[in-house]
Amino acid sequence: MAILRLPFVLFLSALCVMTGLVPVLLPALSCPAHAAQSTSVSGPHGTATLLSDSDSFMPGQDMHFGLRLQLAPGWHTYWLNPGDAGEAVTLAVHASGGAVGEGGPIEWPVPQRLRDGPLMSYAYTGDVVLPVRLQPQEAKEGTDMVVEATADWLVCATVCVPEHAQFTMTLPRAPLYPSPQAPLFARAAAQRPVASPFAAAIAPDGTLSLSGEGLSPAMVRDAWFMPEQPGQIDHDAPQVLHVRDGLLQLGLKVTDGFHRDAALPGIVVIRDVSGREQALAVTAHPGGPSLMVGTAHGGRVVWLARLLALAFAGGMILNLMPCVFPVLAMKILSLERMAQGERRAALVGAALYAAGIVVAFVVLGALIVGLRMAGDSVGWGFQFQSVTFVMLMCWLLFAISLNLLGVFSFGTGIAALGGAGRLSGHMGDVLTGVLAVVVATPCTAPFMGAAIAGALSASPVAGIAIFVAMGLGLAAPYLLLAAVPGLVRRLPRPGAWMEIVRQALAFPMLATCVWLAWVATLQGGQVAVPLLAGGMVLVAFAAWLVRQAQDMVMAGRGGRDGMVLFCRGGALLAVALAVGGVTMVPPALAPQGGGSGAAHPADGVEAFSQARLDALRAQGRPVFIDMTAAWCISCLVNERVALSPQRVRDAFARQGVVYMKGDWTGRDAAISAFLHDHGRDGVPLYVYYPAHGDGVVLPQVLTPGLVLHTIGAQ
């Protein structure tokens, strides 16, 4: 959490300073620091500790426990498939006392390949965390949960030494909150392989094939396969790589234990031309072609061009998503200058608006990439998982509403306190673009998911280009209006009606403030209500003081007038007090649940749990997964329009479909891992698992007909 907070607070501070609302940096947020680890077991070959990702437990809510091995230099331990020699780590976790439960299998990070003479091993060195998922069930109300774990592992260097340890940990019953060790689990989750977007097949001669868009000789420099099951291939044998446009093939040397009529699960690691590696979890089914040699020229260019096109289209469609509706007021007001026939002003305004959008997209993209590289499992829209950000956005939009109603003139910085000139108008265009992106991030438009996933897996230069294309797509309609004189002339002539429209547009902004206040109460609990309302009073008081200062300046009283300076200072102090109040929201209260994504058994909706999903699939039950969040307007619209109608719910009941919701309103490692496994970095995500077969990912925009067709009820 600490890794996320620093760049996030800096980003918010920069945004608020630019708008003139917050001239001070955000105070540091405080987090509880309870120990969530056992006593360490140390020896000459390293140290072993049992960790928890939460300081507490709640029955029915998933949490992770992990074996942390800090191995001495030169020593290593082994993966699920140790390779030619070795033994896999085992970890058994048992909960008793206030809740009971058994830990699941180890969620393995991607191992290294270690070659020792003619032998190849799949192993871990240095500092590694091997997590298991556990969902404690109610046992004894109000008592602590005692967690006991037994671990066995083999450490090797020039010799091999078997190790054994038993651990005990006691956790109190309380709302879950990430422990100080949670970043280690986030790092382990980021090191797991992601679900492959490519179809995988294995031929009788051992040729492993991946097929799909994005594979090309220009993108893939190297690749290798590590099977989950031992005894299938010669691990040390060269894996001959051939790539052509849309197809990657690895020539594996199979052994006598290879089953030609069975699927072959494992990990394919692809290294691109920049040296970046991506690990894909694949299950290769029998029947693939034998090794074919093919070469494609310009494959990487074609792949990047497709991603840029998807990013641009996603940005264009984002204009139609409900997340951006609150900013339409500011966009419409910017058309006044166009309608007045000032062509140069129209071009400059549209260009600056586009620049603000592009810069905001690049900054957000760089933040996500940087945090993920640091081991934090963040995704698109991550800032709305912070009650601090939600409350600040509520106050910002409230201030904009007061501006639209004419309470004060809103420029930037000191200009906001003393009148707005051409400079503040230009800066206003830039800030309108920035605000459009910040407010739009709860939404993921069609095509954006693939584009964002591609940007995060591409080289830094290609990733930035993809985010720039997305920003240009969002700005394209206004660039088009400014560039085509005929379109500008079709706009209504300016008049008194514009002031009426300007004031009327304040009310959608105020409605958005109500929505953000609801989200803040879900994340921060009841204590957030008076702090949020008190902050709005202080923002309104600051706006009134700004208006008094502006009236004095307009009356000819200079900037050095004592009352003008008093009003300016009072406005800044009021905003600073409001921002300081954000730190009074106890982090332990967030998230509270109960948002859009909260599951209510009475409604026939189950809360998402990976263990429950696995159990249902093992029983042959069809499952519909809805990954959502209270701050995601697209999610709320889809739920109301496509998932809540009675005919859809009746079809779910007739087909025996289990409807599961995952609430990502606050940070949730299990949901983040599920999104990551499906190549997504934000919500909404809809996945349908039929009774038998692989999951089907649905589009981000749903209709009742699409849902009914997917589950086979139409």
Side-chain angles (χ1 to χ4, degrees), residues 306-327:
R306 288 174 179 172
L307 281 181
L308 291 173
L310 289 174
F312 186 84
M316 284 276 289
I317 297 175
L318 197 58
N319 282 283
L320 305 177
M321 304 300 285
C323 294
V324 190
F325 287 171
V327 190

PDB file of all heavy atoms in Angstrom, residues 306-327:
ATOM      1  N   ARG A 306      -2.179  -2.358 -35.213  1.00  0.00           N
ATOM      2  CA  ARG A 306      -3.490  -2.842 -34.767  1.00  0.00           C
ATOM      3  C   ARG A 306      -3.805  -2.339 -33.355  1.00  0.00           C
ATOM      4  O   ARG A 306      -4.937  -1.927 -33.069  1.00  0.00           O
ATOM      5  CB  ARG A 306      -3.511  -4.368 -34.799  1.00  0.00           C
ATOM      6  CG  ARG A 306      -3.544  -4.955 -36.206  1.00  0.00           C
ATOM      7  CD  ARG A 306      -3.408  -6.459 -36.181  1.00  0.00           C
ATOM      8  NE  ARG A 306      -3.452  -7.036 -37.526  1.00  0.00           N
ATOM      9  CZ  ARG A 306      -3.201  -8.299 -37.806  1.00  0.00           C
ATOM     10  NH1 ARG A 306      -2.859  -9.130 -36.824  1.00  0.00           N
ATOM     11  NH2 ARG A 306      -3.275  -8.748 -39.034  1.00  0.00           N
ATOM     12  N   LEU A 307      -2.805  -2.387 -32.480  1.00  0.00           N
ATOM     13  CA  LEU A 307      -3.035  -1.897 -31.126  1.00  0.00           C
ATOM     14  C   LEU A 307      -3.326  -0.397 -31.111  1.00  0.00           C
ATOM     15  O   LEU A 307      -4.184   0.075 -30.358  1.00  0.00           O
ATOM     16  CB  LEU A 307      -1.825  -2.200 -30.246  1.00  0.00           C
ATOM     17  CG  LEU A 307      -1.699  -3.632 -29.711  1.00  0.00           C
ATOM     18  CD1 LEU A 307      -0.458  -3.756 -28.846  1.00  0.00           C
ATOM     19  CD2 LEU A 307      -2.924  -4.036 -28.918  1.00  0.00           C
ATOM     20  N   LEU A 308      -2.611   0.355 -31.950  1.00  0.00           N
ATOM     21  CA  LEU A 308      -2.868   1.802 -32.033  1.00  0.00           C
ATOM     22  C   LEU A 308      -4.277   2.070 -32.535  1.00  0.00           C
ATOM     23  O   LEU A 308      -4.962   2.976 -32.044  1.00  0.00           O
ATOM     24  CB  LEU A 308      -1.836   2.463 -32.944  1.00  0.00           C
ATOM     25  CG  LEU A 308      -0.394   2.507 -32.416  1.00  0.00           C
ATOM     26  CD1 LEU A 308       0.557   3.047 -33.492  1.00  0.00           C
ATOM     27  CD2 LEU A 308      -0.299   3.363 -31.161  1.00  0.00           C
ATOM     28  N   ALA A 309      -4.722   1.276 -33.509  1.00  0.00           N
ATOM     29  CA  ALA A 309      -6.082   1.443 -34.025  1.00  0.00           C
ATOM     30  C   ALA A 309      -7.114   1.111 -32.949  1.00  0.00           C
ATOM     31  O   ALA A 309      -8.125   1.818 -32.787  1.00  0.00           O
ATOM     32  CB  ALA A 309      -6.293   0.560 -35.261  1.00  0.00           C
ATOM     33  N   LEU A 310      -6.873   0.040 -32.201  1.00  0.00           N
ATOM     34  CA  LEU A 310      -7.788  -0.318 -31.114  1.00  0.00           C
ATOM     35  C   LEU A 310      -7.816   0.776 -30.048  1.00  0.00           C
ATOM     36  O   LEU A 310      -8.886   1.124 -29.528  1.00  0.00           O
ATOM     37  CB  LEU A 310      -7.363  -1.645 -30.491  1.00  0.00           C
ATOM     38  CG  LEU A 310      -7.583  -2.911 -31.317  1.00  0.00           C
ATOM     39  CD1 LEU A 310      -6.978  -4.114 -30.604  1.00  0.00           C
ATOM     40  CD2 LEU A 310      -9.071  -3.148 -31.556  1.00  0.00           C
ATOM     41  N   ALA A 311      -6.640   1.327 -29.723  1.00  0.00           N
ATOM     42  CA  ALA A 311      -6.571   2.377 -28.714  1.00  0.00           C
ATOM     43  C   ALA A 311      -7.326   3.621 -29.171  1.00  0.00           C
ATOM     44  O   ALA A 311      -8.080   4.221 -28.394  1.00  0.00           O
ATOM     45  CB  ALA A 311      -5.111   2.723 -28.420  1.00  0.00           C
ATOM     46  N   PHE A 312      -7.147   4.007 -30.427  1.00  0.00           N
ATOM     47  CA  PHE A 312      -7.834   5.191 -30.944  1.00  0.00           C
ATOM     48  C   PHE A 312      -9.344   4.969 -30.946  1.00  0.00           C
ATOM     49  O   PHE A 312     -10.114   5.850 -30.524  1.00  0.00           O
ATOM     50  CB  PHE A 312      -7.341   5.505 -32.354  1.00  0.00           C
ATOM     51  CG  PHE A 312      -7.893   6.786 -32.922  1.00  0.00           C
ATOM     52  CD1 PHE A 312      -7.295   7.997 -32.627  1.00  0.00           C
ATOM     53  CD2 PHE A 312      -9.009   6.774 -33.738  1.00  0.00           C
ATOM     54  CE1 PHE A 312      -7.799   9.181 -33.137  1.00  0.00           C
ATOM     55  CE2 PHE A 312      -9.526   7.950 -34.260  1.00  0.00           C
ATOM     56  CZ  PHE A 312      -8.912   9.161 -33.954  1.00  0.00           C
ATOM     57  N   ALA A 313      -9.784   3.782 -31.392  1.00  0.00           N
ATOM     58  CA  ALA A 313     -11.218   3.491 -31.418  1.00  0.00           C
ATOM     59  C   ALA A 313     -11.790   3.469 -30.006  1.00  0.00           C
ATOM     60  O   ALA A 313     -12.893   3.984 -29.755  1.00  0.00           O
ATOM     61  CB  ALA A 313     -11.466   2.154 -32.116  1.00  0.00           C
ATOM     62  N   GLY A 314     -11.037   2.869 -29.048  1.00  0.00           N
ATOM     63  CA  GLY A 314     -11.502   2.858 -27.668  1.00  0.00           C
ATOM     64  C   GLY A 314     -11.634   4.254 -27.098  1.00  0.00           C
ATOM     65  O   GLY A 314     -12.598   4.559 -26.385  1.00  0.00           O
ATOM     66  N   GLY A 315     -10.672   5.136 -27.411  1.00  0.00           N
ATOM     67  CA  GLY A 315     -10.774   6.517 -26.950  1.00  0.00           C
ATOM     68  C   GLY A 315     -11.960   7.250 -27.549  1.00  0.00           C
ATOM     69  O   GLY A 315     -12.640   8.021 -26.861  1.00  0.00           O
ATOM     70  N   MET A 316     -12.236   7.000 -28.826  1.00  0.00           N
ATOM     71  CA  MET A 316     -13.407   7.609 -29.467  1.00  0.00           C
ATOM     72  C   MET A 316     -14.697   7.180 -28.770  1.00  0.00           C
ATOM     73  O   MET A 316     -15.562   7.999 -28.448  1.00  0.00           O
ATOM     74  CB  MET A 316     -13.451   7.200 -30.939  1.00  0.00           C
ATOM     75  CG  MET A 316     -12.455   7.917 -31.825  1.00  0.00           C
ATOM     76  SD  MET A 316     -13.080   9.529 -32.389  1.00  0.00           S
ATOM     77  CE  MET A 316     -14.338   8.994 -33.548  1.00  0.00           C
ATOM     78  N   ILE A 317     -14.824   5.863 -28.530  1.00  0.00           N
ATOM     79  CA  ILE A 317     -16.045   5.348 -27.916  1.00  0.00           C
ATOM     80  C   ILE A 317     -16.177   5.835 -26.479  1.00  0.00           C
ATOM     81  O   ILE A 317     -17.289   5.985 -25.953  1.00  0.00           O
ATOM     82  CB  ILE A 317     -16.056   3.807 -27.987  1.00  0.00           C
ATOM     83  CG1 ILE A 317     -16.065   3.350 -29.445  1.00  0.00           C
ATOM     84  CG2 ILE A 317     -17.247   3.222 -27.250  1.00  0.00           C
ATOM     85  CD1 ILE A 317     -15.947   1.855 -29.632  1.00  0.00           C
ATOM     86  N   LEU A 318     -15.039   6.121 -25.831  1.00  0.00           N
ATOM     87  CA  LEU A 318     -15.079   6.597 -24.454  1.00  0.00           C
ATOM     88  C   LEU A 318     -15.882   7.893 -24.337  1.00  0.00           C
ATOM     89  O   LEU A 318     -16.444   8.185 -23.277  1.00  0.00           O
ATOM     90  CB  LEU A 318     -13.645   6.805 -23.943  1.00  0.00           C
ATOM     91  CG  LEU A 318     -13.448   6.919 -22.432  1.00  0.00           C
ATOM     92  CD1 LEU A 318     -13.959   5.677 -21.720  1.00  0.00           C
ATOM     93  CD2 LEU A 318     -11.983   7.143 -22.105  1.00  0.00           C
ATOM     94  N   ASN A 319     -15.971   8.673 -25.429  1.00  0.00           N
ATOM     95  CA  ASN A 319     -16.798   9.883 -25.416  1.00  0.00           C
ATOM     96  C   ASN A 319     -18.260   9.569 -25.151  1.00  0.00           C
ATOM     97  O   ASN A 319     -19.007  10.422 -24.667  1.00  0.00           O
ATOM     98  CB  ASN A 319     -16.674  10.631 -26.750  1.00  0.00           C
ATOM     99  CG  ASN A 319     -15.395  11.430 -26.852  1.00  0.00           C
ATOM    100  OD1 ASN A 319     -15.283  12.503 -26.273  1.00  0.00           O
ATOM    101  ND2 ASN A 319     -14.422  10.901 -27.586  1.00  0.00           N
ATOM    102  N   LEU A 320     -18.692   8.347 -25.505  1.00  0.00           N
ATOM    103  CA  LEU A 320     -20.094   7.968 -25.348  1.00  0.00           C
ATOM    104  C   LEU A 320     -20.368   7.240 -24.046  1.00  0.00           C
ATOM    105  O   LEU A 320     -21.521   6.929 -23.744  1.00  0.00           O
ATOM    106  CB  LEU A 320     -20.519   7.066 -26.523  1.00  0.00           C
ATOM    107  CG  LEU A 320     -20.283   7.633 -27.929  1.00  0.00           C
ATOM    108  CD1 LEU A 320     -20.680   6.609 -28.985  1.00  0.00           C
ATOM    109  CD2 LEU A 320     -21.066   8.930 -28.112  1.00  0.00           C
ATOM    110  N   MET A 321     -19.321   6.931 -23.276  1.00  0.00           N
ATOM    111  CA  MET A 321     -19.501   6.189 -22.037  1.00  0.00           C
ATOM    112  C   MET A 321     -20.016   7.122 -20.948  1.00  0.00           C
ATOM    113  O   MET A 321     -19.684   8.311 -20.910  1.00  0.00           O
ATOM    114  CB  MET A 321     -18.186   5.544 -21.600  1.00  0.00           C
ATOM    115  CG  MET A 321     -17.566   4.633 -22.650  1.00  0.00           C
ATOM    116  SD  MET A 321     -18.629   3.258 -23.109  1.00  0.00           S
ATOM    117  CE  MET A 321     -18.444   2.224 -21.665  1.00  0.00           C
ATOM    118  N   PRO A 322     -20.846   6.605 -20.034  1.00  0.00           N
ATOM    119  CA  PRO A 322     -21.439   7.472 -19.005  1.00  0.00           C
ATOM    120  C   PRO A 322     -20.430   8.108 -18.072  1.00  0.00           C
ATOM    121  O   PRO A 322     -20.737   9.112 -17.446  1.00  0.00           O
ATOM    122  CB  PRO A 322     -22.380   6.517 -18.248  1.00  0.00           C
ATOM    123  CG  PRO A 322     -22.006   5.144 -18.654  1.00  0.00           C
ATOM    124  CD  PRO A 322     -21.367   5.238 -20.000  1.00  0.00           C
ATOM    125  N   CYS A 323     -19.240   7.552 -17.950  1.00  0.00           N
ATOM    126  CA  CYS A 323     -18.240   8.156 -17.062  1.00  0.00           C
ATOM    127  C   CYS A 323     -17.890   9.581 -17.478  1.00  0.00           C
ATOM    128  O   CYS A 323     -17.539  10.413 -16.653  1.00  0.00           O
ATOM    129  CB  CYS A 323     -16.968   7.312 -17.063  1.00  0.00           C
ATOM    130  SG  CYS A 323     -17.149   5.681 -16.347  1.00  0.00           S
ATOM    131  N   VAL A 324     -17.957   9.850 -18.782  1.00  0.00           N
ATOM    132  CA  VAL A 324     -17.504  11.144 -19.293  1.00  0.00           C
ATOM    133  C   VAL A 324     -18.638  12.168 -19.308  1.00  0.00           C
ATOM    134  O   VAL A 324     -18.412  13.349 -19.530  1.00  0.00           O
ATOM    135  CB  VAL A 324     -16.907  10.976 -20.709  1.00  0.00           C
ATOM    136  CG1 VAL A 324     -16.215  12.243 -21.183  1.00  0.00           C
ATOM    137  CG2 VAL A 324     -15.913   9.837 -20.722  1.00  0.00           C
ATOM    138  N   PHE A 325     -19.863  11.733 -19.028  1.00  0.00           N
ATOM    139  CA  PHE A 325     -20.987  12.655 -19.082  1.00  0.00           C
ATOM    140  C   PHE A 325     -20.810  13.896 -18.207  1.00  0.00           C
ATOM    141  O   PHE A 325     -21.162  14.999 -18.627  1.00  0.00           O
ATOM    142  CB  PHE A 325     -22.280  11.932 -18.703  1.00  0.00           C
ATOM    143  CG  PHE A 325     -22.777  10.978 -19.771  1.00  0.00           C
ATOM    144  CD1 PHE A 325     -23.813  10.114 -19.517  1.00  0.00           C
ATOM    145  CD2 PHE A 325     -22.188  10.950 -21.031  1.00  0.00           C
ATOM    146  CE1 PHE A 325     -24.266   9.235 -20.491  1.00  0.00           C
ATOM    147  CE2 PHE A 325     -22.626  10.081 -22.011  1.00  0.00           C
ATOM    148  CZ  PHE A 325     -23.673   9.217 -21.734  1.00  0.00           C
ATOM    149  N   PRO A 326     -20.280  13.777 -16.970  1.00  0.00           N
ATOM    150  CA  PRO A 326     -20.140  14.990 -16.155  1.00  0.00           C
ATOM    151  C   PRO A 326     -19.263  16.054 -16.794  1.00  0.00           C
ATOM    152  O   PRO A 326     -19.433  17.245 -16.543  1.00  0.00           O
ATOM    153  CB  PRO A 326     -19.503  14.473 -14.860  1.00  0.00           C
ATOM    154  CG  PRO A 326     -19.881  13.038 -14.803  1.00  0.00           C
ATOM    155  CD  PRO A 326     -19.890  12.574 -16.218  1.00  0.00           C
ATOM    156  N   VAL A 327     -18.305  15.645 -17.622  1.00  0.00           N
ATOM    157  CA  VAL A 327     -17.400  16.617 -18.224  1.00  0.00           C
ATOM    158  C   VAL A 327     -17.991  17.210 -19.497  1.00  0.00           C
ATOM    159  O   VAL A 327     -17.450  18.165 -20.049  1.00  0.00           O
ATOM    160  CB  VAL A 327     -16.038  15.951 -18.514  1.00  0.00           C
ATOM    161  CG1 VAL A 327     -14.994  16.976 -18.921  1.00  0.00           C
ATOM    162  CG2 VAL A 327     -15.541  15.230 -17.284  1.00  0.00           C
TER     163      VAL A 327
END
